[in-house]
Every structure is written in structure tokens, then in C-alpha cells.
Amino acid sequence: MEEKVKYLIIGQGLTGTWLSYFLHKQGISFKVINDAKTFSATSVASGVINPVTGRRIVQTWMIDTLLPFAIDSYKAFQKDENITIIKAAPIALIHPSLQMKESFDYRLTHDNIYLKENDNSSLGQYFNTPFGTGEIDQCYWIDLIQFLKAGREKLSPHFIEDYFDISDLILTEQDVRWKNIIAEKIIFCDGLNTMNNPYFKALPFVPNKGEALIVKIKGLAPTNIYKTNITIVPWKDDLFWVGSSYEWSFTNALPTESFKEKMITALDAVLKQPYEVVDHLVGIRPANTERRPFVGLHPKYPQLGICNGMGTKGCSLAPYFSKQLIDHIEQGTMIEPEADLKRFTSILSD
Ligand SMILES: Cc1cc2nc3c(=O)[nH]c(=O)nc-3n(C[C@H](O)[C@H](O)[C@H](O)COP(=O)(O)OP(=O)(O)OC[C@H]3O[C@@H](n4cnc5c(N)ncnc54)[C@H](O)[C@@H]3O)c2cc1C
């Protein structure tokens, strides 16, 4: 029997979960399709929201807008579901070099509201700190495993566990059809799978491979994220996520011995506590050459939409841009020009 909905969402990673959540909140009909056997960047990500970036420690794109929106959204989600998924977790910086210490000291007094001095003595108990320490305030840790699980449960009346094959999609003048479902719009939130989508494959995706270790560190407080030339993120119990790599050139999505060795060398150099490696994760980020999301409707086929290209910052970008896309379609509001799919009108219209 046919079922009519307004939206068909492909993928229940960070982006598809937020899109579905906002549709659910507004009482708009939808179905979300996800295949647990396909690759998901969200399921291996550390879940950090960090308002600054890079060697120069500058504020990230749009963070003054994205951060309050993300905090409110994750808090609303956790209240609805009666779980804890967002925690304030300042980043304790253990400067890895004199150059990074100088960069931090400079930025502390120039255009940065997120940096703070910190108490070196408590960190010195656990870490070697030859170049001193600092702090990044207003950082958050999102429990993405819980978020995906709770999202999956919340959305269960709308959820279809299935592999979406683009060749099964039928476009008509006014809607799309997939199996028994008729939808006004289909929105692709399927991460890197969109690279194989004939309607969107011209978008400048550049997959970025990232590996991480899960490490048991006894006694280290899970109240902070710790960052030196590696990042150590509280995971659960006495486990920490340790990473990551950013590889633009790779031949497979497998964990590598060289990454593991590099992390062990870095941990040996910085950590005073004993530790034990318990797992090795690997994922591919849906990054792109512009480092800006892809949000909007296809210029030639307005039944097709996309919310994707979240790159290294899905935790802060996905709530805001999912909401922007829905508001754009439902109320005709503007999408942030730097994220708007309109910038690709010519390449998508060929
Ligand atoms: C090692 C690593 C660490 C990271 N750390 C952070 C971090 O600390 N903070 C941060 O903000 N970001 C981080 N990221 C980036 C973050 O993971 C991404 O920006 C974000 O997860 C992208 O979410 P998404 O929903 O767009 O894509 P995905 O999470 O990839 O979701 C796509 C979904 O679509 C489904 N799917 C795909 N194809 C099909 C199909 N054919 N049929 C049905 N379903 C399909 C998949 O199963 C998946 O659930 C990290 C990434 C990696 C790899």
C-alpha cells in the first residue's frame, strides 16, 4: 500500500537525526531511511565542539551563531529524551611546542573570547607540560553514540532500516517515489554516499580519513578534553578517545599500524599515567574543498534536497543547517549564502 509523506530523509547520522528531529517537532510528516551496515562518520567521531581552530587558534566559521544554537538544540533533545548527551568540557591545552605557547599567549590578548589561563599544577599531575598549559572555554562534548541511539528510538515510527539504492528512486513533476513511499521532497543526509548520487555527484566532496584509539587511562578526570599534538576526549567510564589523523590521500578505510604507533609515541611522551589501548576506530569525514556545508534544493529538480558536507564540524553545523533547510522549504527563509547550494547552480544544471 502506498504511503504519502512530505519528506523522505536518507541517512540517520548527525545530520539526518537533526533534520528528522526538527520535522518531528513541527508535526511535519516524514520517513527516514538508514542502513546500519553502511559507513557512518558520526559513529566514530569524538563529539567535540571546539570554538577555535588551527595553529593560530582563531575562532571557527560562524561560531558565535552556531554555538548557542547547538547548545540549545542538544539541551532540548536531551530534555525531551530524558538523557544526558551534552556536557560542558573545557579543553585543557598542553602546549606541544614553544611556538604553540607563543601563539596561545598572543591570541589570549587579541580578538578571542574563548581562551583562558589555567592552573598548570593540577594538569602537571597527569601530564608532562614543558611548554605550559592554557584553556579553551565554552567547549562541549556530545555523546554521539547515545544521540544516534536515542534518535533512532524517538524516530522509530518514521524509521525504515534499509539500504537506499538511488536507482530505485523515481522522480515525477511534483514528487519522488521510492518503493511504496511518495514524498514531496527527498533530502540526502547520507554523508559520503552522496558522492555516488548522479544528481549531486558534481559537488566538490573530498573524503577525509580519520583514525582514533580508544584508551583506558586510570585516574584521569573525565571533566576536560585534553589537547596537545593529539586530542584526548572522555568517552565513557575510564575510557578516552585519542586521535586523530586527517588524511586527504588514502586507498582504503582500514585502521593502520602507523597511526597506532604515532598515537602511542605521543601518549608516552605526554602522559604520566599508565594506559591501555582497547580499540582502534576509523572513519571518513564528508569534507569538501570549500569547508562549508551543502544545504538547499537542486536547481533543476526542486524535489531533491541536500544537507551534507559537514566535514570536521558536524556537531556544531548539523543542528543549525538542518533547521535552516527546513525553514527555507517551509517558510521561504534564506539559507546562509556560504552554505547555500545555489553557489553550485551552474555545475548542477549541466
Ligand atoms: C575520526 C573522526 C573524528 C571526528 N570528530 C569530530 C568531532 O569531534 N566534532 C565534530 O563536530 N565532528 C567530528 N567529526 C566529523 C563528523 O563525524 C561529521 O561531520 C558528521 O558525523 C557527519 O554527519 P552526517 O550525518 O552528515 O554523515 P554520516 O555520519 O556519515 O551519516 C550518514 C548516514 O547515512 C547512512 N547511509 C549512507 N548511505 C546509505 C544508503 N545507501 N542507504 C541507507 N543509509 C545510508 C549511514 O549509515 C549513516 O548513518 C569526526 C569525524 C571522524 C571520522
Side-chain angles (χ1 to χ4, degrees):
M1 210 178 69
E2 283 177 346
E3 187 174 359
K4 282 192 178 182
V5 288
K6 189 149 188 197
Y7 290 89
L8 185 58
I9 311 292
I10 311 302
Q12 194 240 321
L14 253 169
T15 313
T17 307
W18 277 117
L19 205 58
S20 308
Y21 173 80
F22 290 127
L23 289 172
H24 176 80
K25 282 289 230 194
Q26 292 180 41
I28 299 170
S29 63
F30 69 96
K31 289 280 174 194
V32 55
I33 304 169
N34 193 79
D35 174 28
K37 291 188 289 308
T38 60
F39 174 76
S40 150
T42 309
S43 57
V44 297
S46 53
V48 174
I49 301 182
N50 174 1
V52 300
T53 185
R55 289 186 171 277
R56 289 172 51 241
I57 323 183
V58 291
Q59 287 174 209
T60 60
W61 179 63
M62 280 185 66
I63 195 63
D64 296 342
T65 306
L66 297 174
L67 187 61
F69 189 87
I71 296 169
D72 287 351
S73 303
Y74 287 104
K75 284 189 173 166
F77 186 101
Q78 71 179 9
K79 191 166 176 224
D80 285 357
E81 301 313 302
N82 200 19
I83 52 172
T84 304
I85 52 160
I86 178 167
K87 283 186 189 153
I91 296 184
L93 283 174
I94 297 138
H95 303 310
S97 63
L98 186 60
Q99 191 198 9
M100 287 306 286
K101 178 195 163 20
E102 286 172 355
S103 194
F104 177 84
D105 290 346
Y106 173 83
R107 203 46 77 186
L108 203 53
T109 50
H110 293 80
D111 313 325
N112 207 314
I113 57 167
Y114 297 107
L115 301 187
K116 275 171 55 177
E117 305 269 13
N118 78 339
D119 174 15
N120 194 13
S121 59
S122 61
L123 278 177
Q125 204 184 328
Y126 300 101
F127 296 98
N128 297 313
T129 60
F131 302 104
T133 60
E135 188 168 306
I136 310 172
D137 202 12
Q138 295 188 54
C139 300
Y140 291 85
W141 178 68
I142 312 299
D143 185 340
L144 290 173
I145 305 293
Q146 276 262 30
F147 173 69
L148 289 184
K149 186 168 168 273
R152 167 79 176 79
E153 279 160 18
K154 182 182 188 76
L155 302 170
S156 59
H158 315 276
F159 190 88
I160 302 168
E161 174 68 48
D162 203 349
Y163 179 79
F164 174 83
D165 186 336
I166 191 77
S167 62
D168 294 334
L169 185 71
I170 299 165
L171 266 61
T172 73
E173 287 282 304
Q174 65 288 340
D175 57 35
V176 297
R177 288 152 197 246
W178 176 81
K179 296 191 176 174
N180 68 327
I181 294 173
I182 302 176
E184 287 178 33
K185 306 267 182 221
I186 181 167
I187 312 287
F188 292 97
C189 305
D190 48 344
L192 280 178
N193 190 54
T194 303
M195 286 178 77
N196 309 316
N197 182 321
Y199 302 103
F200 291 107
K201 70 175 183 204
L203 293 175
F205 278 103
V206 195
N208 179 280
K209 181 175 175 182
E211 298 182 53
L213 299 182
I214 301 298
V215 174
K216 192 180 265 191
I217 310 175
K218 271 231 151 66
L220 188 61
T223 45
N224 281 87
I225 295 159
Y226 305 91
K227 194 168 165 60
T228 170
N229 51 354
I230 54 172
T231 308
I232 303 175
V233 184
W235 196 240
K236 57 178 176 183
D237 307 324
D238 52 358
L239 295 180
F240 290 81
W241 182 106
V242 177
S244 175
S245 54
Y246 296 87
E247 283 176 66
W248 299 104
S249 172
F250 54 90
T251 50
N252 60 50
L254 298 172
T256 62
E257 266 314 298
S258 60
F259 172 80
K260 190 174 172 184
E261 281 165 19
K262 209 170 145 191
M263 290 302 108
I264 288 176
T265 305
L267 283 169
D268 287 346
V270 75
L271 210 56
K272 289 182 176 172
Q273 301 296 108
Y275 67 90
E276 181 196 344
V277 177
V278 297
D279 203 359
H280 188 164
L281 310 177
V282 61
I284 316 283
R285 303 173 180 93
N288 64 82
T289 52
E290 297 189 331
R291 295 168 195 250
R292 298 289 178 264
F294 304 141
V295 185
L297 298 178
H298 195 287
K300 251 173 119 176
Y301 308 102
Q303 318 91 304
L304 310 181
I306 186 167
C307 197
N308 208 322
M310 301 297 159
T312 58
K313 307 238 174 299
C315 290
S316 52
L317 296 172
Y320 186 80
F321 285 105
S322 302
K323 183 72 167 56
Q324 271 215 342
L325 180 59
I326 296 171
D327 290 351
H328 173 70
I329 300 172
E330 295 294 319
Q331 295 153 33
T333 51
M334 252 184 72
I335 295 171
E336 165 64 36
E338 281 186 71
D340 196 334
L341 199 65
K342 280 205 180 101
R343 68 199 194 275
F344 300 109
T345 297
S346 68
I347 62 164
L348 291 175
S349 304
D350 283 350

